[in-house]
Amino acid sequence: MEKGLVKIAGVKAGYGDVPVLLGIHLTVESNEMVALVGPNGAGKSTLLKCISGLLPLKEGEIWFGEIKISGLPYLDIVKKGIIHCPEGGKVFPEMSVEDNLLVGGYLFKKEARKKQFDLVYNLFPKLLQRRRQLAGTLSGGERQMVALGLALMSRPAFLMMDEPSLGLAPVIKKAIFKTIDMIKGEQKISILLVEQDAFSALELADRSYVLDHGMIAMQADSKALLQNGEFKRIYMGL
């Protein structure tokens, strides 16, 4: 088996009798950001659910370092530092911003939580101002900040982000991508980024995979993929 922090080998999965992933091979190395792009319905979110243990595999294996995680319960996968930030800025709406963040750090002692609070509030100063406010009353961009902050409170070694810019205004979208770039540069964690905005995702990522109809259609260094005429024609409409 080739080395890599996360190794996905021959993964097939779906919902009931409906196949979605038809044999995925993908690797994310330590301290690397990999983008997963492709059309709606290609299976991007389904793959993240497989990695995080929310959806069982029909075939294949998923490894985290030397540990096979496919088949493990969701909570055991979280305890290994594999964190899934789902699409849509999902938060606990009836809880304050700070209590939402506490949920992310529940596995850790007070001192470790304080360190993560400092990290999150430095990345998102607006959340410090809103820390007593109910998360459900925030704007869409602020809820996305809380969702990313909640994920970072879990001290991830491997962070999966599903459509972090979904539904956001362009200026907020730009700020979210800037923060993701800061996380990549400063936190030394591995990231798998699923994003419909293919151009922005490839601008951020080291390498990229294109998922189409449940299969990997292309994979390359992100800069090379941005210059690939076929990719730009089919997946970016250029």
Side-chain angles (χ1 to χ4, degrees):
M1 177 180 292
E2 67 182 78
K3 293 182 179 179
L5 179 69
V6 174
K7 169 76 173 181
I8 297 166
V11 164
K12 295 183 180 181
Y15 303 95
D17 294 329
V18 180
V20 177
L21 303 177
L22 306 178
I24 302 299
H25 296 267
L26 183 150
T27 303
V28 182
E29 301 290 345
S30 297
N31 302 328
E32 180 184 41
M33 183 187 290
V34 169
L36 183 63
V37 299
N40 285 329
K44 303 184 297 294
S45 296
T46 297
L47 181 59
L48 298 195
K49 291 176 182 177
C50 289
I51 298 170
S52 61
L54 294 173
L55 184 68
L57 310 187
K58 296 185 183 296
E59 290 185 28
E61 297 178 340
I62 302 175
W63 292 75
F64 182 60
E66 300 301 317
I67 302 169
K68 182 180 173 183
I69 62 170
S70 43
L72 291 180
Y74 172 78
L75 184 57
D76 289 352
I77 291 174
V78 168
K79 288 178 178 178
K80 296 185 185 306
I82 301 170
I83 305 301
H84 184 175
C85 185
E87 66 177 320
K90 290 185 173 62
V91 297
F92 298 99
E94 301 301 322
M95 295 168 59
S96 71
V97 167
E98 194 149 290
D99 285 343
N100 267 269
L101 298 179
L102 275 170
V103 170
Y106 80 99
L107 288 175
F108 306 106
K109 294 182 179 179
K110 185 175 181 180
E111 194 59 38
R113 287 200 304 269
K114 182 182 183 306
K115 184 178 178 180
Q116 294 309 106
F117 267 122
D118 291 343
L119 164 67
V120 171
Y121 287 145
N122 282 333
L123 283 171
F124 302 111
K126 189 171 285 188
L127 295 188
L128 180 60
Q129 302 168 16
R130 303 272 200 273
R131 65 187 185 277
R132 304 301 181 200
Q133 189 171 330
L134 293 181
T137 66
L138 299 175
S139 68
E142 290 166 345
R143 286 196 301 274
Q144 185 60 62
M145 293 176 195
V146 175
L148 284 171
L150 199 157
L152 290 170
M153 286 293 295
S154 300
R155 299 173 66 185
F158 177 64
L159 175 60
M160 296 179 285
M161 289 184 275
D162 193 357
E163 302 280 10
S165 75
L166 183 68
L168 301 183
V171 64
I172 303 300
K173 189 176 180 179
K174 185 176 180 181
I176 290 293
F177 283 134
K178 183 178 179 181
T179 301
I180 292 170
D181 197 35
M182 290 171 61
I183 293 169
K184 172 194 172 188
E186 297 175 9
Q187 298 307 307
K188 306 302 181 187
I189 60 179
S190 300
I191 297 173
L192 180 57
L193 173 64
V194 165
E195 179 56 54
Q196 194 64 34
D197 183 344
F199 180 81
S200 295
L202 268 62
E203 283 277 292
L204 287 172
D206 301 301
R207 290 187 301 115
S208 298
Y209 292 81
V210 180
L211 187 61
D212 197 356
H213 293 93
M215 301 181 70
I216 300 295
M218 296 180 182
Q219 58 177 298
D221 175 273
S222 293
K223 290 184 175 62
L225 206 52
L226 279 169
Q227 300 304 315
N228 184 299
E230 182 183 7
F231 171 78
K232 291 196 289 186
R233 179 177 60 83
I234 297 174
Y235 299 105
M236 298 180 69
L238 301 177

